[in-house]
Amino acid sequence: CSAGADKPVLTLFTKKPCPLCDEAKEVLEPYKRRFILQEVDITLPENSAWYDKYKYDIPVFHLNGKFLMKHRVDIQKFEDQLKKLELQSD
């Protein structure tokens, strides 16, 4: 089993409060050993570009830097992309 360096990075663009983000994290809970979750608070000054882009759309998810989904977790899409990345890293 690898040290986790090759795990895909799931970036969650969020802000406080964000009930949909909390819900999304719950949905993703069973998968959490398969990816690294990185949260980006779009309300922070250094993230203003993301704020302008996503202020009406959070939660927004990027997988390894690529847009994946927004508003709600699409588990099927998430699973498919995760599997693809896992196969690439093997």
Side-chain angles (χ1 to χ4, degrees):
C1 169
S2 64
D6 57 354
K7 275 190 195 170
V9 175
L10 185 68
T11 308
L12 164 60
F13 294 90
T14 184
K15 66 183 183 190
K16 299 269 185 264
C18 177
L20 279 178
C21 302
D22 297 338
E23 192 179 298
K25 283 191 279 193
E26 271 176 42
V27 172
L28 292 167
E29 184 70 21
Y31 300 90
K32 72 174 193 269
R33 285 188 303 284
R34 291 170 60 190
F35 64 88
I36 294 159
L37 181 65
Q38 184 181 49
E39 292 188 42
V40 175
D41 184 338
I42 63 170
T43 61
L44 297 176
E46 65 268 25
N47 296 326
S48 61
W50 292 118
Y51 180 80
D52 294 341
K53 192 170 183 177
Y54 291 144
K55 60 186 165 206
Y56 302 118
D57 287 321
I58 61 164
V60 175
F61 293 93
H62 286 194
L63 190 59
N64 277 4
K66 291 196 187 100
F67 175 82
L68 180 66
M69 55 196 170
K70 64 184 181 182
H71 301 150
R72 298 212 176 272
V73 173
D74 179 338
I75 278 295
Q76 197 55 59
K77 187 177 195 178
F78 176 67
E79 271 269 17
D80 293 347
Q81 293 302 317
L82 199 55
K83 275 203 189 96
K84 230 181 255 176
L85 290 168
E86 286 169 345
L87 289 172
Q88 285 169 11
S89 70
D90 283 348

